[in-house]
Each structure stands twice: as structure tokens, then as C-alpha cells.
């Protein structure tokens, strides 16, 4: 018995020594990486549709990256998240070894395309100290992106959740279900619409409607079956077509983007809006662009929630600079800064339990604003995003079954 115990202790000791050497080697390797990037540029490709987010990257992130590491950040805006993916596929096909993108903000639909096209460098998760130290590596939301295993080829950048926006001075009791929403729209013609897919917010609204009209998300979490989707979604298209006569512009046209939807809401043409962020209205309230009576609400059926990620292209010209930027964006400092609604209001992907108490207090003290729902309510109503294979089909079917119906009337 004593010999067995001694053997176990020797194994534990050897393992501890191995881990100590591994951690030291990792620290030394990261030190070499940070020392190698001084004077380099890093090209960050990201959706460019939000002025708040653009300003945060252009000013706050850029200044700190230069100060800490001597790296110059260049933001490459994308109007459509698919644009940089298509660019990388073209570069792959043409054999371009050094590309124009070093770090990529990627969504679930395009991550699946990127992995299938083999245009990402990796795995990278094990090379990023912030991820290893402050994130839960076993969490499903960090290991699956719209149903696609991340396998370390991307790292979590932030979290989002779909909410509706309304002005409580005009709407006393907002609808609490999609059945109630239909009634509300009929009673308030012209005061509601949604952006036309493939706009991300409009597509998310359609997916919410799909869940609500076809029995919830669970059936879409299993093996992908497009035939089942097509059959089920008939109820969704019927629902959306019933809404059209009472939508803004009588459903003859839809806003082309969330920015246009926001403008219509701010001008009072719409009384209910929406966004894929719980703090979507707060920055505009603080700027005086929206009245202080604006609030957010969610449906009883639940509300879509997801994690968005960062990835490095296969042909990143400045790989080490991309790793340094990704590491900084995942740091507690950056996650706290972008969580402020006055800055962006992006919910952090970081694991609070892994933070020192002093850092946790900083996050806890953030003022999320009068329009933001309590975190407990949001958490209780989170539902998973649909698998990425369904996304293109849903958007295609919407064009055929809803937009085309508009054109024929």
C-alpha cells in the first residue's frame, strides 16, 4: 500500500514539474512573440456597420495596441460579413501566400464556410494567453459556433442576445409573444417592420419567428434536415405574410439595414424596433438620439443568443501581430471597455469566475443603463442559435416565400 501511495505521489510530482516547465515554455514563447511585433502593422477585418464599434477600434484599441506593443492597427471594414470570406477564398485559389487580412471578426455562418474552404490558420486558441487564463475552455458556447465545432480555430470575442426596443411613452404594454406581436401590429399599422434578410438583424428576427411558429429550437439542434425545415417553415412564411399589410410601407419594402431601422425608430415612424444586443438602445439614449422613455423587451418564447469570435486567416502576413491583437481583445481590460454601453455595450465572453476579485467588481459596477433588461431575465430566456447549415436556406426561403409574394401583389 505504501509503495502504491509513493508511486502516485511520484506521478503527481512529475506531472506538476511537467506543467511548470510547459507554462514556463509558453510564457517564454509568448514573450518572444510580443517582442517580435514592434513596428508591425496588423489588418483587422470586421463588420463596419456600427459607428460606435468603429470608433472604439480606431481610437481606444489602436492607441493601446501601439502603446503596449508598438503595433499599428488598420481596420478593414466589411459591409457584409461574407465579403472577407469570399476574398480569402479567392486568395486561397490564386495561391496568395501573404494576404491582406491578419485578424478576422467572423460570424457562425461564415465560420462554417471558412472551415470548409480551409482558409483559417490554426488551431490558435492554445496560443492565446488571455483565452487560456480567463475563459472556460469546456463551455459549449466557446466550442460551437452556430452548431459548428470551433476546434480552436477561433476564440470568443463577445456575447449577444436579441431584444426588441420600444418607447414606453407610446407603447404602454409591449407584446410578450409572437401571437401578441401580430395583434399589436394589426392594431398599430405602419409602426413595425424588420430589415430584409440577409441583414443580420432582419435574419435574426426571421429565425425568432421560425422558432415561435414551429415549436421551438430543440428540433433544429439535432442532425440537419433541410426537408423538415422547409416543411415546418411554411407556418413561418404564413405568419410573416399575414403581417405584411400592416407593416411599415404596407410591407411593400423593408429597411435594407439595422441602421435604417434605427433611423426610422428614432424619427418616430416606427414604435417598435429590435437589435442583437441587450444594450442596443442605450448608447443612443445617452447621446440624446432616443428619449429616456425607450426600453427593451423580449418574448416569452425565449430570445436568440450567441457568441461571436475572432479567427486568423491561413495567409496572415503578420501572424504574431494578429495573435497579439487577439490576445489584447480577449483581455479583461478590453472586454470591460467594450461592455460599457457608452462605448459598445457588447456583453463579455470572459469567465467572471476566473477573474481576480478586483476585476470582477469593475464588471459588476458597469452601468448598463435604464433600457437594458436585468441580466437574470436575459439569462433565463436565452435560446441557442440555429445550426449554420440552416441559415442560407432560411434566407433563401424568405426571399422566395415572403419577398417574392410582395413583388407579385
Amino acid at each position: 500500500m505504501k509503495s502504491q501511495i509513493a508511486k502516485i505521489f511520484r506521478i503527481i510530482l512529475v506531472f506538476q514539474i511537467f506543467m511548470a516547465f510547459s507554462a514556463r515554455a509558453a510564457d517564454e514563447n509568448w514573450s518572444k512573440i510580443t517582442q517580435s511585433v514592434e513596428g508591425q502593422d496588423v489588418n483587422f477585418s470586421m463588420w463596419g456597420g456600427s459607428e460606435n464599434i468603429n470608433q472604439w477600434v480606431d481610437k481606444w484599441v489602436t492607441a493601446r495596441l501601439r502603446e503596449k506593443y508598438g503595433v499599428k492597427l488598420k481596420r478593414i471594414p466589411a459591409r457584409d460579413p461574407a465579403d472577407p470570406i469570399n476574398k480569402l477564398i479567392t486568395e486561397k485559389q490564386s495561391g496568395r501566400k501573404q494576404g491582406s487580412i491578419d485578424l478576422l471578426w467572423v460570424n457562425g455562418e461564415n465560420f462554417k464556410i471558412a472551415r470548409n474552404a480551409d482558409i483559417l490558420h490554426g488551431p490558435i486558441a492554445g496560443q492565446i494567453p488571455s483565452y487560456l487564463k480567463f475563459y472556460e475552455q469546456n463551455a459549449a458556447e466557446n466550442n460551437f459556433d452556430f452548431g459548428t465545432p470551433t476546434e480552436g480555430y477561433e476564440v470568443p470575442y463577445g456575447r449577444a442576445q436579441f431584444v426588441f426596443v420600444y418607447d414606453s411613452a407610446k407603447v404602454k404594454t409591449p407584446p410578450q409573444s409572437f401571437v401578441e406581436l401580430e395583434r399589436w401590429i394589426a392594431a398599430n399599422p405602419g409602426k413595425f417592420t424588420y430589415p430584409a434578410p440577409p441583414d443580420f438583424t432582419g435574419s435574426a428576427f426571421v429565425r425568432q419567428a421560425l422558432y415561435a411558429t414551429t415549436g421551438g429550437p430543440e428540433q433544429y439542434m439535432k442532425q440537419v434536415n433541410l426537408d423538415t425545415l422547409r416543411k415546418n417553415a411554411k407556418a413561418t412564411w404564413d405568419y410573416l405574410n399575414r403581417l405584411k399589410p400592416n407593416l411599415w410601407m404596407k410591407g411593400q419594402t423593408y429597411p435594407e439595414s439595422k441602421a435604417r431601422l434605427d433611423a426610422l425608430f428614432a424619427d418616430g415612424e416606427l414604435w417598435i424596433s429590435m437589435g442583437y444586443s441587450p444594450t442596443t438602445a442605450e448608447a443612443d439614449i445617452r447621446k440624446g438620439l432616443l428619449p429616456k422613455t425607450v426600453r427593451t423587451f423580449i418574448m416569452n418564447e425565449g430570445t436568440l443568443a450567441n457568441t461571436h469570435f475572432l479567427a486568423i486567416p491561413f495567409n496572415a502576413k503578420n501572424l504574431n501581430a494578429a495573435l497579439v491583437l487577439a490576445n489584447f481583445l480577449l483581455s479583461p481590460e478590453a472586454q470591460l471597455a467594450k461592455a460599457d454601453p457608452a462605448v459598445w455595450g457588447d456583453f463579455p465572453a470572459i469567465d467572471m469566475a476566473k477573474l481576480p476579485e478586483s476585476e470582477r467588481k469593475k464588471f459588476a459596477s458597469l452601468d448598463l443603463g435604464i433600457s437594458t433588461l436585468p441580466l437574470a431575465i436575459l439569462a433565463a430566456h436565452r435560446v441557442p442559435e440555429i445550426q449554420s447549415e440552416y441559415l442560407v436556406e432560411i434566407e433563401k426561403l424568405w426571399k422566395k416565400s415572403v419577398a417574392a409574394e410582395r413583388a407579385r401583389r
Side-chain angles (χ1 to χ4, degrees):
M1 177 65 72
K2 290 182 179 180
S3 61
Q4 289 178 335
I5 294 175
K7 184 177 180 180
I8 291 172
F9 275 110
R10 283 197 299 271
I11 293 172
I12 293 173
L13 180 60
V14 169
F15 178 74
Q16 289 175 337
I17 293 172
F18 170 77
M19 290 299 293
F21 274 112
S22 297
R24 181 178 177 181
D27 289 343
E28 290 177 353
N29 183 59
W30 184 251
S31 180
K32 290 178 182 177
I33 288 175
T34 57
Q35 291 171 16
S36 73
V37 299
E38 187 170 358
Q40 288 187 6
D41 295 343
V42 61
N43 294 324
F44 183 22
S45 177
M46 52 177 278
W47 173 65
S50 167
E51 191 57 33
N52 283 355
I53 301 174
N54 294 343
Q55 288 291 312
W56 180 69
V57 171
D58 290 344
K59 295 182 178 180
W60 193 89
V61 177
T62 295
R64 280 154 183 79
L65 201 68
R66 186 189 292 272
E67 177 186 345
K68 291 174 180 288
Y69 304 105
V71 173
K72 182 181 178 181
L73 188 155
K74 180 182 179 182
R75 179 175 60 85
I76 303 177
R79 182 174 181 178
D80 187 322
D83 291 344
I85 299 299
N86 293 332
K87 182 180 182 65
L88 289 170
I89 291 174
T90 299
E91 290 180 354
K92 177 88 170 182
Q93 292 171 344
S94 64
R96 185 171 176 178
K97 301 298 183 183
Q98 291 191 333
S100 56
I101 300 172
D102 297 310
L103 188 68
L104 175 68
W105 181 12
V106 63
N107 64 18
E109 178 181 356
N110 289 305
F111 175 68
K112 176 75 172 181
I113 295 171
R115 288 293 286 129
N116 287 341
D118 193 25
I119 57 172
L120 298 181
H121 171 79
I124 61 170
Q127 298 177 266
I128 299 176
S130 288
Y131 178 70
L132 297 174
K133 186 175 182 180
F134 299 118
Y135 293 73
E136 178 51 66
Q137 277 87 63
N138 295 323
E141 57 262 36
N142 294 339
N143 289 292
F144 291 90
D145 191 355
F146 280 68
T148 302
T150 61
E151 298 177 316
Y153 278 83
E154 56 179 5
V155 288
Y157 184 28
R159 303 207 193 287
Q161 194 163 348
F162 191 87
V163 298
F164 291 93
V165 182
Y166 73 108
D167 187 344
S168 62
K170 299 174 180 176
V171 181
K172 299 303 180 183
T173 306
Q176 300 297 302
S177 69
F178 273 78
V179 170
E180 290 184 13
L181 178 64
E182 182 177 1
R183 294 173 186 156
W184 186 92
I185 292 171
N188 299 275
K191 298 305 181 182
F192 181 89
T193 190
Y194 57 95
D199 171 82
F200 185 76
T201 300
S203 182
F205 172 76
V206 172
R207 296 195 298 277
Q208 283 275 194
L210 175 77
Y211 282 178
T213 56
T214 63
E218 290 77 13
Q219 60 195 310
Y220 304 111
M221 300 299 113
K222 303 171 185 177
Q223 185 174 352
V224 173
N225 189 321
L226 293 180
D227 288 336
T228 298
L229 172 72
R230 296 182 189 111
K231 180 180 178 181
N232 288 355
K234 291 177 181 178
T236 308
W237 313 139
D238 287 345
Y239 175 86
L240 294 176
N241 283 323
R242 289 199 306 271
L243 299 184
K244 282 198 297 186
N246 294 310
L247 293 179
W248 173 77
M249 300 297 289
K250 297 184 177 180
Q252 292 298 303
T253 187
Y254 294 83
E256 72 279 3
S257 66
K258 183 183 185 305
R260 175 63 175 147
L261 185 77
D262 290 344
L264 291 169
F265 181 73
D267 289 343
E269 286 196 55
L270 301 178
W271 287 1
I272 292 180
S273 185
M274 64 194 72
Y276 211 136
S277 169
T279 60
T280 186
E282 193 58 34
D284 285 345
I285 292 174
R286 297 183 185 192
K287 291 177 182 176
L289 300 176
L290 291 177
K292 294 181 179 180
T293 49
V294 167
R295 298 290 186 271
T296 55
F297 71 96
I298 55 178
M299 300 299 193
N300 291 333
E301 291 103 329
T303 172
L304 292 172
N306 72 38
T307 299
H308 47 102
F309 293 82
L310 300 171
I312 295 178
F314 74 100
N315 61 348
K317 182 179 180 180
N318 297 312
L319 174 59
N320 284 352
L323 289 168
V324 166
L325 174 57
N327 184 68
F328 177 68
L329 292 174
L330 266 63
S331 69
E333 178 185 1
Q335 291 282 302
L336 178 68
K338 71 183 180 66
D340 186 344
V343 176
W344 176 352
D346 189 42
F347 276 28
I350 206 164
D351 184 353
M352 298 298 164
K354 293 181 179 289
L355 293 177
E357 179 64 24
S358 59
E359 293 293 326
R360 288 201 296 271
K361 287 181 178 179
K362 291 178 183 178
F363 282 94
S365 65
L366 271 177
D367 179 10
L368 298 181
I370 57 174
S371 69
T372 306
L373 289 168
L375 298 184
I377 291 177
L378 290 166
H381 288 81
R382 287 172 65 96
V383 296
E385 268 288 6
I386 204 164
Q387 296 186 67
S388 60
E389 288 91 340
Y390 286 122
L391 291 177
V392 174
E393 186 68 13
I394 290 171
E395 291 170 359
K396 182 174 71 174
L397 289 171
W398 180 86
K399 290 179 181 178
K400 176 182 177 181
S401 304
V402 180
E405 284 294 318
R406 177 190 74 227
R408 284 197 290 266
R409 288 193 307 170

